[in-house]
């Protein structure tokens, strides 16, 4: 595998994570638990779509096959998307959404903190810009986990269930393969084991404050990075891709 | 200390208004002024919030990343506008959640345009161009209304609204200059939203009993018919620019007045939709009611946590 | 109507170094942290602010309105007359 192929894969993964999670959050529009929170969630969705645009544009540049962020985002087959399973899970209730968000944000913050020192200037720039937003996302989601975990009995029960159900998708955050090995060898991406340490320390600290328990059963799912998704992905893509598929090759 | 009776208070109040002195929250005001404002501002706020739904449902289907981002930003703005407006109603002594409960129970109204369905991507263009366009016509004069918090909220809203209309028109322009399917899509959206947009200005002033008093109090600056005419004149020219046809066979430019004469509005439809019988009234209200119900456990949790923290702090 | 509504907070933004904080409006939040974050989302979406102050509306003390000398009423020192600024003892309904 060449360096560029590895870099393309890596950037695509980051971009897909942002794209799919941004898409999920957009579904909350007009349905949030209170007006202020509707605005907050939409804001995060907007940030993620912005990140996806930057990352997928960069991926297209690296690939150098005349694609752009839009045709990469809208025109691939399901097995060509390489987002992790966590981000494509259904929104569920507000607790499910915040738990998914928290587990993801707690990973992206240390990731971008380290990635801003990448030997690849463009990736470093994207990381630096995304870090500002991610810090805010993490503050927002971790505060909600604590409020819900240590709120009422009902909220505690609900968000504990969210954690129990989503924990099985967390190992995939740290999935690595040949692409990652090549890139970390070149100082382009950080060592994922370091990120995992920071992530684990942060999530356990927040769960303690939230009086939540990490499930004892650590059975984990993966497949997203390799293009093998959950049942939800098909429906998500049908909505995402509809306009471009129904009206091919047009300008909007 | 000089104590005035109601008649003198009213006189001094009207004097302030006639002299363009703003009325602020703690100032004396006739109860009818207060109640009219609460109703008008909260109706406006409800419209922004309900308006998030017909547009919100196209975010996940936007045709490219830029359109997705811009639509997200627009709908977020609308939520913000609703918030500025609820904030203004609260200064009049109304509780935001009470007015929202009135919306959910059907007691309070909101702009009838949002009871129409959004059936295609072109509807996003039509709404930005026509609906926000109509809203701007109404809102710009309100920046000078007599009640301080409402006027200031309107200034904020107007700054952001012009982006909305431009972006809507840009969508329509792109479609009208695109493929035959896209042009069809744009024309179809215009066909469906034109008359409902005209209805946004409300009934003719002869049928609008409160208009007179509202104008005297400067919480309404122009008549419904005047605003509607202004809107038609501006929009016909814009449609011509992008090669779309206004769906009104009676539309005709009158050289003498310099205005466009237009056909008769279907007032039956208007009143039915306002009454609750539009294509999407039930869905819109149900969606808002569900959001509030489903969010109850979340709001309660936040309050419970905040109370726990307060106890911990004082311990 | 549930009494579990979040309290009202008044928001003040300083948009640029050298300027005063300006009152921009209000919003609902369950605690101060949330109020600041909500204020950032609602009132600084176009980078309109660099410093945010939040205060529960109930905690603002105001001078009498300019109409005070004309009214036969006890002085009102709240920033405006909101139903939730006045504590009603439990057991009193319809208020």
């Amino acid at each position: 595998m060449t360096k560029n192929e590895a870099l393309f894969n890596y950037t695509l993964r980051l971009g897909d994570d942002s794209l799919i999670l941004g898409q999920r959050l957009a579904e909350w529009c007009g349905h949030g638990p209170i007006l202020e929170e509707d605005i907050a969630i939409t804001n995060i969705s907007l940030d993620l779509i912005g990140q996806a645009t930057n990352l997928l544009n960069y991926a297209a540049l690296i690939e150098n096959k005349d694609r752009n962020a839009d045709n990469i985002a809208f025109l691939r087959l399901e097995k060509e998307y390489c987002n992790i399973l966590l981000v494509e899970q259904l929104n569920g209730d507000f607790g499910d959404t915040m738990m998914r968000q928290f587990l993801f944000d707690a990973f992206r913050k240390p990731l971008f903190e380290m990635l801003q020192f990448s030997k690849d200037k463009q990736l470093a720039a994207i990381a630096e810009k995304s870090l500002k937003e991610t810090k805010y996302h993490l503050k927002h989601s971790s505060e909600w986990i604590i409020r819900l975990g240590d709120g009422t009995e009902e909220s505690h029960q609900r968000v504990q269930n969210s954690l129990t159900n989503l924990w099985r998708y967390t190992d995939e955050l740290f999935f690595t393969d040949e692409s990652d090995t090549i890139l970390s060898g070149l100082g382009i991406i950080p060592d994922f084991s370091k990120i995992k340490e920071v992530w684990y320390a942060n999530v356990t600290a927040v769960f303690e404050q939230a009086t939540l328990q990490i499930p004892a059963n650590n059975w984990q799912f993966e497949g997203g990075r390799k293009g093998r998704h959950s049942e939800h992905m098909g429906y998500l893509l049908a909505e995402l891709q509809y306009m471009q598929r129904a009206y091919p090759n047009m300008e909007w | 200390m000089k104590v005035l009776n109601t008649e003198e208070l009213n006189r001094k109040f009207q004097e302030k208004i006639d002299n363009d002195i703003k009325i602020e929250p703690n100032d004396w005001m006739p109860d009818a002024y207060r109640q009219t404002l609460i109703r008008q501002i909260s109706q406006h706020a409800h419209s922004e919030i309900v308006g998030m739904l017909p547009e919100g449902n196209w975010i996940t289907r936007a045709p490219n990343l830029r359109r997705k981002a811009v639509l997200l930003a627009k709908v977020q703005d609308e939520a913000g506008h609703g918030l500025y407006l609820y904030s203004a109603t609260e200064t009049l002594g109304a509780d935001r959640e009470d007015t929202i409960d009135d919306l959910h129970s059907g007691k309070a109204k909101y702009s009838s345009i949002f009871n129409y369905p959004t059936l295609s991507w072109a509807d996003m263009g039509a709404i930005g161009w026509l609906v926000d366009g109509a809203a701007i016509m109404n809102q710009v004069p309100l920046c000078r209304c007599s009640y301080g918090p409402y006027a200031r909220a309107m200034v904020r809203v107007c700054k952001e609204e012009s982006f909305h209309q431009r972006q809507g028109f840009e969508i329509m322009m792109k479609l009208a200059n695109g493929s035959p399917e896209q042009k069809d899509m744009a024309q179809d959206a215009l066909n469906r939203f034109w008359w409902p947009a005209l209805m946004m200005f409300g009934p003719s002033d002869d049928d609008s009993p409160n208009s007179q008093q509202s104008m005297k109090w400067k919480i309404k600056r122009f008549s419904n018919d005047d605003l509607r005419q202004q809107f038609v004149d501006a929009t016909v020219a814009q449609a011509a620019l992008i090669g779309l046809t206004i769906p009104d066979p009676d539309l005709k430019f009158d050289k003498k007045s310099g205005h466009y004469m237009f056909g008769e509005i279907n007032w039956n439809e208007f009143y039915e939709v306002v009454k609750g019988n539009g294509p999407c009234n039930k869905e819109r209200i149900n969606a808002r009611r569900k959001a509030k119900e489903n969010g109850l456990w979340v709001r309660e949790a936040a309050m419970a946590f905040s109370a726990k923290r307060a106890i911990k702090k004082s311990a | 109507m549930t009494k579990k509504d979040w309290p009202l907070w008044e928001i003040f933004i300083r948009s640029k170094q050298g300027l005063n904080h300006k009152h921009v409006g209000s919003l609902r939040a369950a605690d101060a942290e949330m109020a600041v974050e909500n204020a950032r989302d609602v009132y600084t979406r176009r980078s309109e602010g660099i410093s945010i102050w939040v205060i529960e509306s109930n905690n603002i003390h105001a001078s009498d309105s300019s109409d005070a000398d004309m009214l036969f009423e006890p002085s009102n020192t709240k920033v405006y007359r909101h139903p939730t600024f006045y504590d009603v003892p439990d057991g009193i309904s319809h208020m």
Side-chain angles (χ1 to χ4, degrees), chain B residues 101-134:
Chain B
D101 289 338
D102 283 347
L103 170 69
H104 296 173
S105 70
K107 225 172 114 195
K109 295 199 173 63
Y110 56 95
S111 194
S112 53
I113 187 87
F114 301 117
N115 293 314
Y116 290 86
T118 47
L119 302 176
S120 77
W121 171 251
D123 291 21
M124 296 302 105
I127 288 180
W129 173 37
L130 302 174
V131 177
D132 288 312

Side-chain angles (χ1 to χ4, degrees), chain A residues 19 22-24 26-27 29-36 38-40 42-46 49-50 52-53 56 69-70 73-74 93-96 143-144 146-152 154-156 158-159 209 236 238-244 247 250-252, chain B residues 49 52-53 56-70 72-73 75-76 78-80 82-83 86 96-97 120-122 170-171 174-175 178-179 181-182 185 287-288 290-292 294-302 304-306 308-309 312:
Chain A
L19 174 67
Q23 176 81 352
R24 275 291 185 226
E27 294 167 17
C29 202
H31 306 288
I34 193 169
L35 189 51
E36 286 80 353
D38 228 298
I39 296 174
T42 321
N43 203 28
I44 298 171
S45 173
L46 192 50
I49 298 299
T53 307
L56 296 181
D70 280 332
F74 292 86
D93 69 15
F94 185 71
D96 296 322
E143 282 169 4
W144 268 112
I146 294 170
R147 277 185 204 114
L148 297 178
D150 192 20
T152 58
E154 179 180 3
S155 70
H156 175 87
R158 282 184 185 248
V159 81
Q209 276 192 75
L236 188 154
E239 248 183 79
L240 177 72
Q241 299 191 351
Y242 170 71
M243 285 299 290
Q244 289 223 6
Y247 299 91
M250 297 181 200
E251 305 257 303
W252 303 96
Chain B
I49 302 311
M52 290 169 68
L53 295 169
N57 74 47
W58 273 91
I59 297 173
T60 52
R61 290 176 290 170
N64 65 29
L65 291 170
R66 179 173 163 250
R67 292 296 177 201
K68 198 188 283 285
V70 171
L72 266 164
V75 177
Q76 198 190 16
E78 273 145 29
L83 215 140
Y86 283 129
R96 166 173 126 183
E97 289 311 310
S120 77
W121 171 251
E170 195 206 8
I171 291 176
K174 201 79 189 199
L175 295 173
S179 70
E181 294 96 328
Q182 286 177 306
M185 205 197 290
R288 293 307 305 153
K290 279 208 92 140
K292 182 164 177 174
N294 292 341
L296 179 60
W297 72 271
V298 176
R299 300 190 301 272
E300 285 181 343
F305 178 77
S306 161
K308 284 187 196 177
R309 272 291 151 91
K312 270 203 192 125

